[in-house]
Amino acid sequence: MHDLKITRREMIAASGVSAAGVAAGSMVAAPVQAMVARAPRAETVSTAKVTLEVNGKPTTLELDTRTTLLDALREHLKLTGTKKGCDHGQCGACTAIVDGRRINTCLTFAVMHDGAKITTIEGLGQPDALHPMQAAFVKHDGYQCGYCTPGQICSAVTVLEEIKQGIPSHVTEDLNAPGKFTPEEVRERMSGNICRCGAYSNILDAISEVAGENA
Ligand code: FES
Ligand code: FES
């Protein structure tokens, strides 16, 4: 710890700035400008080719390696159905289905998914040919502003698959029993998808209908 102590005077001396210069406020700018001029230039952006199959269409993008999958979908492929809510993995608005599993696309880099098959809300259905889950959301009034809805629907479709495959959740009591549809299972599995409008009960009704169950 002792080694880390450095006085203000030593700091000024080390940076080549005279004490007199610092004392005069009008003279502070010159050394700062000199330091900025000496600062190393920004490094060249590192890019990579990423091949994805998005909604059945193969596509190759040249991306900054820091591009999230969400930005690759929205900004590069113009698939704006997938929403950016929090950009921090907290709301689920950006959920898409990647190789059969739902993920928060804001939390992962596109380069990590080279070769992946991705389904976004646009790939599930279209206005004239809705996916059964989309139709059920409409029928049960499962949305208000609709901002969370693409993520909710992508999650819901995958949740039913998870239950069918017997993948347990935090509330599954018997880990060895076949997957069972219950409202508790759906609520738990959908808990990463936040709806500020509070359409939760209607969302549960929609998912239950597609599952052929009563909520
Ligand atoms: S935008 Fe990804 S979880 Fe909120
Ligand atoms: S419908 Fe508005 S946030 Fe869910």
Side-chain angles (χ1 to χ4, degrees):
M1 288 296 286
H2 180 74
D3 289 342
L4 289 177
K5 282 187 184 158
I6 181 165
T7 66
R8 183 168 174 272
R9 183 177 297 276
E10 288 166 337
M11 172 78 93
I12 290 166
S15 65
V17 179
S18 77
V22 171
S26 63
M27 294 180 68
V28 171
V32 169
Q33 278 169 358
M35 286 168 72
V36 170
R38 285 200 303 271
R41 288 181 185 279
E43 305 234 337
T44 315
V45 171
S46 162
T47 62
K49 265 198 175 49
V50 183
T51 300
L52 306 168
E53 186 183 308
V54 184
N55 300 330
K57 285 191 206 139
T59 179
T60 299
L61 299 168
E62 181 80 27
L63 295 173
D64 181 326
T65 51
R66 298 163 295 181
T67 307
T68 63
L69 183 57
L70 176 58
D71 285 342
L73 293 171
R74 285 181 57 86
E75 309 298 331
H76 295 264
L77 296 175
K78 307 299 177 201
L79 291 168
T80 53
T82 306
K83 297 293 184 259
K84 184 179 280 192
C86 63
D87 214 12
H88 281 78
Q90 292 171 349
C91 72
C94 64
T95 305
I97 305 168
V98 179
D99 290 331
R101 299 176 67 188
R102 58 199 171 118
I103 64 170
N104 289 344
T105 56
C106 71
L107 282 189
T108 188
F109 294 120
V111 287
M112 294 162 65
H113 301 283
D114 190 38
K117 287 191 172 137
I118 298 172
T119 305
T120 67
I121 192 71
E122 293 95 338
L124 282 179
Q126 289 292 317
D128 54 351
L130 293 177
H131 182 282
M133 191 65 78
Q134 291 171 315
F137 267 63
V138 173
K139 177 177 166 191
H140 291 277
D141 209 9
Y143 57 90
Q144 290 178 38
C145 77
Y147 200 81
C148 71
T149 311
Q152 299 275 6
I153 290 176
C154 285
S155 252
V157 167
T158 322
V159 158
L160 294 188
E161 200 51 40
E162 286 169 12
I163 294 174
K164 206 187 287 177
Q165 290 178 16
I167 297 170
S169 81
H170 186 61
V171 297
T172 305
E173 284 175 10
D174 184 350
L175 300 184
N176 296 315
K180 193 166 156 224
F181 182 101
T182 65
E184 291 67 37
E185 282 285 358
V186 175
R187 286 195 191 100
E188 165 61 21
R189 290 172 195 265
M190 293 294 294
S191 61
N193 289 83
I194 308 299
C195 175
R196 287 165 298 179
C197 299
Y200 296 116
S201 61
N202 296 359
I203 290 170
L204 180 57
D205 289 345
I207 298 173
S208 301
E209 177 173 299
V210 176
E213 303 275 348
N214 291 322

PDB file of all heavy atoms in Angstrom, residues 142-149 152 193-200 203, ligand 2:
ATOM      1  N   GLY A 142     -53.453 -10.708 -24.843  1.00  0.00           N
ATOM      2  CA  GLY A 142     -52.247 -10.912 -24.037  1.00  0.00           C
ATOM      3  C   GLY A 142     -51.227  -9.789 -24.128  1.00  0.00           C
ATOM      4  O   GLY A 142     -50.072  -9.983 -23.758  1.00  0.00           O
ATOM      5  N   TYR A 143     -51.623  -8.677 -24.640  1.00  0.00           N
ATOM      6  CA  TYR A 143     -50.680  -7.541 -24.703  1.00  0.00           C
ATOM      7  C   TYR A 143     -51.455  -6.233 -24.681  1.00  0.00           C
ATOM      8  O   TYR A 143     -52.633  -6.188 -25.038  1.00  0.00           O
ATOM      9  CB  TYR A 143     -49.813  -7.604 -25.964  1.00  0.00           C
ATOM     10  CG  TYR A 143     -50.604  -7.627 -27.251  1.00  0.00           C
ATOM     11  CD1 TYR A 143     -50.940  -6.438 -27.895  1.00  0.00           C
ATOM     12  CD2 TYR A 143     -51.027  -8.832 -27.804  1.00  0.00           C
ATOM     13  CE1 TYR A 143     -51.663  -6.444 -29.070  1.00  0.00           C
ATOM     14  CE2 TYR A 143     -51.749  -8.846 -28.978  1.00  0.00           C
ATOM     15  CZ  TYR A 143     -52.072  -7.670 -29.612  1.00  0.00           C
ATOM     16  OH  TYR A 143     -52.797  -7.680 -30.760  1.00  0.00           O
ATOM     17  N   GLN A 144     -50.748  -5.199 -24.245  1.00  0.00           N
ATOM     18  CA  GLN A 144     -51.346  -3.861 -24.303  1.00  0.00           C
ATOM     19  C   GLN A 144     -50.494  -2.988 -25.214  1.00  0.00           C
ATOM     20  O   GLN A 144     -50.797  -2.837 -26.385  1.00  0.00           O
ATOM     21  CB  GLN A 144     -51.506  -3.306 -22.896  1.00  0.00           C
ATOM     22  CG  GLN A 144     -52.597  -4.060 -22.140  1.00  0.00           C
ATOM     23  CD  GLN A 144     -52.780  -3.594 -20.723  1.00  0.00           C
ATOM     24  OE1 GLN A 144     -52.699  -2.398 -20.433  1.00  0.00           O
ATOM     25  NE2 GLN A 144     -53.030  -4.542 -19.819  1.00  0.00           N
ATOM     26  N   CYS A 145     -49.350  -2.501 -24.712  1.00  0.00           N
ATOM     27  CA  CYS A 145     -48.493  -1.718 -25.625  1.00  0.00           C
ATOM     28  C   CYS A 145     -47.800  -2.633 -26.627  1.00  0.00           C
ATOM     29  O   CYS A 145     -47.419  -2.198 -27.708  1.00  0.00           O
ATOM     30  CB  CYS A 145     -47.453  -0.916 -24.842  1.00  0.00           C
ATOM     31  SG  CYS A 145     -46.065  -1.901 -24.234  1.00  0.00           S
ATOM     32  N   GLY A 146     -47.617  -3.892 -26.274  1.00  0.00           N
ATOM     33  CA  GLY A 146     -47.025  -4.856 -27.194  1.00  0.00           C
ATOM     34  C   GLY A 146     -45.514  -4.879 -27.220  1.00  0.00           C
ATOM     35  O   GLY A 146     -44.924  -5.679 -27.944  1.00  0.00           O
ATOM     36  N   TYR A 147     -44.872  -4.028 -26.429  1.00  0.00           N
ATOM     37  CA  TYR A 147     -43.408  -3.952 -26.515  1.00  0.00           C
ATOM     38  C   TYR A 147     -42.737  -5.246 -26.053  1.00  0.00           C
ATOM     39  O   TYR A 147     -41.764  -5.706 -26.656  1.00  0.00           O
ATOM     40  CB  TYR A 147     -42.884  -2.768 -25.684  1.00  0.00           C
ATOM     41  CG  TYR A 147     -41.513  -2.366 -26.117  1.00  0.00           C
ATOM     42  CD1 TYR A 147     -41.319  -1.556 -27.233  1.00  0.00           C
ATOM     43  CD2 TYR A 147     -40.380  -2.839 -25.451  1.00  0.00           C
ATOM     44  CE1 TYR A 147     -40.059  -1.221 -27.672  1.00  0.00           C
ATOM     45  CE2 TYR A 147     -39.116  -2.502 -25.885  1.00  0.00           C
ATOM     46  CZ  TYR A 147     -38.967  -1.693 -26.991  1.00  0.00           C
ATOM     47  OH  TYR A 147     -37.705  -1.368 -27.419  1.00  0.00           O
ATOM     48  N   CYS A 148     -43.277  -5.843 -25.014  1.00  0.00           N
ATOM     49  CA  CYS A 148     -42.677  -7.079 -24.493  1.00  0.00           C
ATOM     50  C   CYS A 148     -43.115  -8.302 -25.285  1.00  0.00           C
ATOM     51  O   CYS A 148     -42.570  -9.395 -25.109  1.00  0.00           O
ATOM     52  CB  CYS A 148     -43.072  -7.274 -23.028  1.00  0.00           C
ATOM     53  SG  CYS A 148     -44.825  -7.721 -22.823  1.00  0.00           S
ATOM     54  N   THR A 149     -44.120  -8.134 -26.134  1.00  0.00           N
ATOM     55  CA  THR A 149     -44.826  -9.278 -26.721  1.00  0.00           C
ATOM     56  C   THR A 149     -43.955 -10.205 -27.577  1.00  0.00           C
ATOM     57  O   THR A 149     -44.055 -11.428 -27.431  1.00  0.00           O
ATOM     58  CB  THR A 149     -46.060  -8.789 -27.508  1.00  0.00           C
ATOM     59  OG1 THR A 149     -46.792  -7.879 -26.681  1.00  0.00           O
ATOM     60  CG2 THR A 149     -46.948  -9.942 -27.909  1.00  0.00           C
ATOM     61  N   GLN A 152     -42.113 -12.282 -25.196  1.00  0.00           N
ATOM     62  CA  GLN A 152     -43.036 -13.169 -24.462  1.00  0.00           C
ATOM     63  C   GLN A 152     -43.398 -14.368 -25.333  1.00  0.00           C
ATOM     64  O   GLN A 152     -43.415 -15.517 -24.868  1.00  0.00           O
ATOM     65  CB  GLN A 152     -44.330 -12.421 -24.108  1.00  0.00           C
ATOM     66  CG  GLN A 152     -44.179 -11.203 -23.223  1.00  0.00           C
ATOM     67  CD  GLN A 152     -44.144 -11.518 -21.740  1.00  0.00           C
ATOM     68  OE1 GLN A 152     -44.120 -12.677 -21.341  1.00  0.00           O
ATOM     69  NE2 GLN A 152     -44.125 -10.492 -20.919  1.00  0.00           N
ATOM     70  N   ASN A 193     -39.525 -12.683 -18.384  1.00  0.00           N
ATOM     71  CA  ASN A 193     -40.150 -11.789 -19.374  1.00  0.00           C
ATOM     72  C   ASN A 193     -41.059 -10.818 -18.642  1.00  0.00           C
ATOM     73  O   ASN A 193     -42.140 -11.189 -18.179  1.00  0.00           O
ATOM     74  CB  ASN A 193     -40.938 -12.605 -20.405  1.00  0.00           C
ATOM     75  CG  ASN A 193     -40.030 -13.382 -21.324  1.00  0.00           C
ATOM     76  OD1 ASN A 193     -39.572 -14.472 -20.978  1.00  0.00           O
ATOM     77  ND2 ASN A 193     -39.718 -12.830 -22.479  1.00  0.00           N
ATOM     78  N   ILE A 194     -40.623  -9.604 -18.550  1.00  0.00           N
ATOM     79  CA  ILE A 194     -41.360  -8.593 -17.778  1.00  0.00           C
ATOM     80  C   ILE A 194     -42.326  -7.842 -18.696  1.00  0.00           C
ATOM     81  O   ILE A 194     -41.978  -7.480 -19.816  1.00  0.00           O
ATOM     82  CB  ILE A 194     -40.375  -7.566 -17.157  1.00  0.00           C
ATOM     83  CG1 ILE A 194     -39.255  -8.277 -16.385  1.00  0.00           C
ATOM     84  CG2 ILE A 194     -41.101  -6.573 -16.268  1.00  0.00           C
ATOM     85  CD1 ILE A 194     -39.702  -9.128 -15.243  1.00  0.00           C
ATOM     86  N   CYS A 195     -43.540  -7.628 -18.192  1.00  0.00           N
ATOM     87  CA  CYS A 195     -44.531  -6.841 -18.933  1.00  0.00           C
ATOM     88  C   CYS A 195     -44.937  -5.653 -18.072  1.00  0.00           C
ATOM     89  O   CYS A 195     -45.591  -5.828 -17.041  1.00  0.00           O
ATOM     90  CB  CYS A 195     -45.755  -7.705 -19.255  1.00  0.00           C
ATOM     91  SG  CYS A 195     -47.079  -6.774 -20.045  1.00  0.00           S
ATOM     92  N   ARG A 196     -44.547  -4.474 -18.511  1.00  0.00           N
ATOM     93  CA  ARG A 196     -44.871  -3.274 -17.714  1.00  0.00           C
ATOM     94  C   ARG A 196     -46.361  -2.991 -17.715  1.00  0.00           C
ATOM     95  O   ARG A 196     -46.879  -2.311 -16.847  1.00  0.00           O
ATOM     96  CB  ARG A 196     -44.121  -2.057 -18.261  1.00  0.00           C
ATOM     97  CG  ARG A 196     -42.661  -2.067 -17.950  1.00  0.00           C
ATOM     98  CD  ARG A 196     -41.923  -1.073 -18.800  1.00  0.00           C
ATOM     99  NE  ARG A 196     -42.048  -1.416 -20.202  1.00  0.00           N
ATOM    100  CZ  ARG A 196     -41.522  -0.713 -21.188  1.00  0.00           C
ATOM    101  NH1 ARG A 196     -40.850   0.365 -20.917  1.00  0.00           N
ATOM    102  NH2 ARG A 196     -41.657  -1.081 -22.455  1.00  0.00           N
ATOM    103  N   CYS A 197     -47.068  -3.504 -18.739  1.00  0.00           N
ATOM    104  CA  CYS A 197     -48.511  -3.271 -18.802  1.00  0.00           C
ATOM    105  C   CYS A 197     -49.269  -4.266 -17.926  1.00  0.00           C
ATOM    106  O   CYS A 197     -50.473  -4.099 -17.716  1.00  0.00           O
ATOM    107  CB  CYS A 197     -48.999  -3.402 -20.236  1.00  0.00           C
ATOM    108  SG  CYS A 197     -48.245  -2.217 -21.352  1.00  0.00           S
ATOM    109  N   GLY A 198     -48.612  -5.277 -17.461  1.00  0.00           N
ATOM    110  CA  GLY A 198     -49.264  -6.221 -16.544  1.00  0.00           C
ATOM    111  C   GLY A 198     -50.272  -7.124 -17.214  1.00  0.00           C
ATOM    112  O   GLY A 198     -51.329  -7.425 -16.640  1.00  0.00           O
ATOM    113  N   ALA A 199     -49.945  -7.601 -18.423  1.00  0.00           N
ATOM    114  CA  ALA A 199     -50.885  -8.479 -19.137  1.00  0.00           C
ATOM    115  C   ALA A 199     -50.713  -9.946 -18.732  1.00  0.00           C
ATOM    116  O   ALA A 199     -51.146 -10.843 -19.456  1.00  0.00           O
ATOM    117  CB  ALA A 199     -50.676  -8.315 -20.647  1.00  0.00           C
ATOM    118  N   TYR A 200     -50.115 -10.179 -17.585  1.00  0.00           N
ATOM    119  CA  TYR A 200     -49.694 -11.540 -17.225  1.00  0.00           C
ATOM    120  C   TYR A 200     -50.810 -12.587 -17.235  1.00  0.00           C
ATOM    121  O   TYR A 200     -50.619 -13.688 -17.723  1.00  0.00           O
ATOM    122  CB  TYR A 200     -49.022 -11.546 -15.844  1.00  0.00           C
ATOM    123  CG  TYR A 200     -47.746 -10.748 -15.819  1.00  0.00           C
ATOM    124  CD1 TYR A 200     -47.625  -9.605 -15.035  1.00  0.00           C
ATOM    125  CD2 TYR A 200     -46.646 -11.123 -16.594  1.00  0.00           C
ATOM    126  CE1 TYR A 200     -46.455  -8.871 -15.019  1.00  0.00           C
ATOM    127  CE2 TYR A 200     -45.471 -10.395 -16.577  1.00  0.00           C
ATOM    128  CZ  TYR A 200     -45.382  -9.274 -15.787  1.00  0.00           C
ATOM    129  OH  TYR A 200     -44.229  -8.541 -15.772  1.00  0.00           O
ATOM    130  N   ILE A 203     -51.671 -13.497 -20.722  1.00  0.00           N
ATOM    131  CA  ILE A 203     -50.562 -14.248 -21.335  1.00  0.00           C
ATOM    132  C   ILE A 203     -50.651 -15.711 -20.899  1.00  0.00           C
ATOM    133  O   ILE A 203     -50.513 -16.630 -21.710  1.00  0.00           O
ATOM    134  CB  ILE A 203     -49.195 -13.623 -20.935  1.00  0.00           C
ATOM    135  CG1 ILE A 203     -49.023 -12.263 -21.619  1.00  0.00           C
ATOM    136  CG2 ILE A 203     -48.039 -14.565 -21.267  1.00  0.00           C
ATOM    137  CD1 ILE A 203     -47.832 -11.445 -21.128  1.00  0.00           C
TER     138      ILE A 203
HETATM  139  S1  FES B   2     -47.787  -5.339 -23.246  1.00  0.00           S
HETATM  140 FE1  FES B   2     -46.819  -3.484 -22.696  1.00  0.00          FE
HETATM  141  S2  FES B   2     -44.981  -4.156 -21.731  1.00  0.00           S
HETATM  142 FE2  FES B   2     -46.085  -5.936 -22.050  1.00  0.00          FE
END
